[in-house]
Amino acid sequence: MSVTIKSSAEIEKMRAAGALAAEVLTLLEPYVEPGVTTEKLDRIAHDFIVHQHHAIPAPLNYRGFPKSICTSVNHVVCHGIPGPKKLKKGDILNIDITVIKDGYHGDTSRMFYVGEPTIQGRRLSEVAHAAMWEGVHAVRPGARLGDIGHAIQRCAESHNYSVVREYCGHGIGAEFHEEPQVLHYGTPGTGMVLEAGMTFTIEPMINAGRKETRLLRDNWTVVTKDHSLSAQWEHTLLVTASGFEVLTLRHDEVIPN
């Protein structure tokens, strides 16, 4: 599959999908507290997407995934399946939302603290957040994919954290996963050249310990091999004529310098 350059009409649809995905994360924030189950968070998100916005939760039944959102707690790197286990004080939680609205996808995730996080949990989440934004700021026409990966890797490793290698960002649009693959590590000046009209996600997974991961028997849930904490943030980006536009920016979110 080749990279698709989005038309102005497609970009408008992606803005709408991105705005809805961002809105779901904002909706869920007050519900993330000790004692809540990730299954309840899934139901709230599902009802909001389907019944209030007549959109589609993209993960549901995607290659057999059984739920409408992904919830990854503590040492879960990504693709955690919502279930009956209750969140407890001190947990860190990634909620990953992808919606399909008018045929186009919006994909975003963020970290939440369940009550007061541990010092390590807060620090890891903050560094993962900073690493994502370092990658975003590398996006502009003429830049290369390796510039994005290098910026993220340099940020994470400067804090003695590691970058997960097996999972990466991806092109997105009418399809959930399109070209290109957006690695979160790499060498500057290498890889595909970015062009205005490209849309893709940047979603680094940063581990407090080693970078290696393990896939659980459900064939979805990915955990750190050494059981260390993991954190992830994600946005969908548009390459513009002069730089980037964050299509999944939340209303309360400010792009850092």
Side-chain angles (χ1 to χ4, degrees):
M1 187 190 302
S2 59
V3 174
T4 61
I5 302 299
K6 306 302 188 294
S7 67
S8 57
E10 289 175 310
I11 289 167
E12 281 305 312
K13 290 181 179 181
M14 293 204 61
R15 285 191 180 112
L20 175 56
E23 194 176 348
V24 179
L25 286 178
T26 300
L27 167 81
L28 291 174
E29 185 165 15
Y31 295 97
V32 177
E33 57 184 6
V36 75
T37 65
T38 51
E39 209 162 44
K40 180 177 179 179
L41 299 176
D42 178 77
R43 287 197 303 271
I44 292 166
H46 177 92
D47 290 346
F48 183 72
I49 294 164
V50 174
H51 301 306
Q52 292 196 40
H53 288 273
H54 309 291
I56 299 168
L60 185 61
N61 300 319
Y62 177 79
R63 297 182 179 174
F65 191 81
K67 297 291 184 176
S68 295
I69 67 176
C70 297
T71 51
S72 301
V73 185
N74 294 335
H75 71 293
V76 178
V77 175
C78 60
H79 305 156
I81 301 173
K85 188 174 180 180
K86 294 179 180 179
L87 296 175
K88 63 184 187 300
K89 184 178 178 182
D91 286 343
I92 60 172
L93 166 69
N94 176 272
I95 299 180
D96 193 340
I97 304 293
T98 310
V99 302
I100 308 170
K101 186 174 176 63
D102 200 13
Y104 282 78
H105 291 70
D107 189 0
T108 185
S109 82
R110 60 157 290 189
M111 297 301 296
F112 293 86
Y113 302 138
V114 183
E116 184 65 24
T118 63
I119 293 171
Q120 184 188 47
R122 182 186 295 277
R123 181 169 178 265
L124 176 65
S125 295
E126 289 175 349
V127 170
H129 185 249
M132 177 197 66
W133 283 113
E134 288 291 327
V136 170
H137 279 294
V139 174
R140 65 183 65 85
R144 291 180 176 268
L145 286 176
D147 301 336
I148 298 172
H150 176 74
I152 292 167
Q153 182 180 8
R154 180 179 58 192
C155 178
E157 292 181 354
S158 72
H159 291 87
N160 297 314
Y161 294 143
S162 62
V163 180
V164 170
R165 302 298 204 264
E166 295 95 332
Y167 304 91
C168 61
H170 52 88
I172 188 168
E175 301 293 332
F176 196 162
H177 296 95
E178 302 179 353
E179 292 295 330
Q181 289 192 330
V182 182
L183 302 182
H184 302 121
Y185 60 95
T187 304
T190 65
M192 182 180 290
V193 176
L194 304 184
E195 299 177 46
M198 286 182 176
T199 51
F200 51 79
T201 69
I202 294 177
E203 48 181 301
M205 288 140 273
I206 308 300
N207 295 347
R210 296 178 61 83
K211 64 180 182 293
E212 289 80 16
T213 65
R214 183 167 62 88
L215 181 65
L216 298 188
R217 281 185 291 182
D218 61 23
N219 284 323
W220 280 107
T221 307
V222 178
V223 300
T224 55
K225 204 165 186 178
D226 62 4
H227 217 73
S228 63
L229 292 177
S230 187
Q232 180 188 24
W233 297 75
E234 175 184 14
H235 273 308
T236 297
L237 281 299
L238 165 70
V239 183
T240 66
S242 58
F244 64 85
E245 179 183 340
V246 182
L247 299 177
T248 47
L249 195 72
R250 298 182 298 279
H251 288 304
D252 62 343
E253 192 175 14
V254 177
I255 297 175
N257 294 327

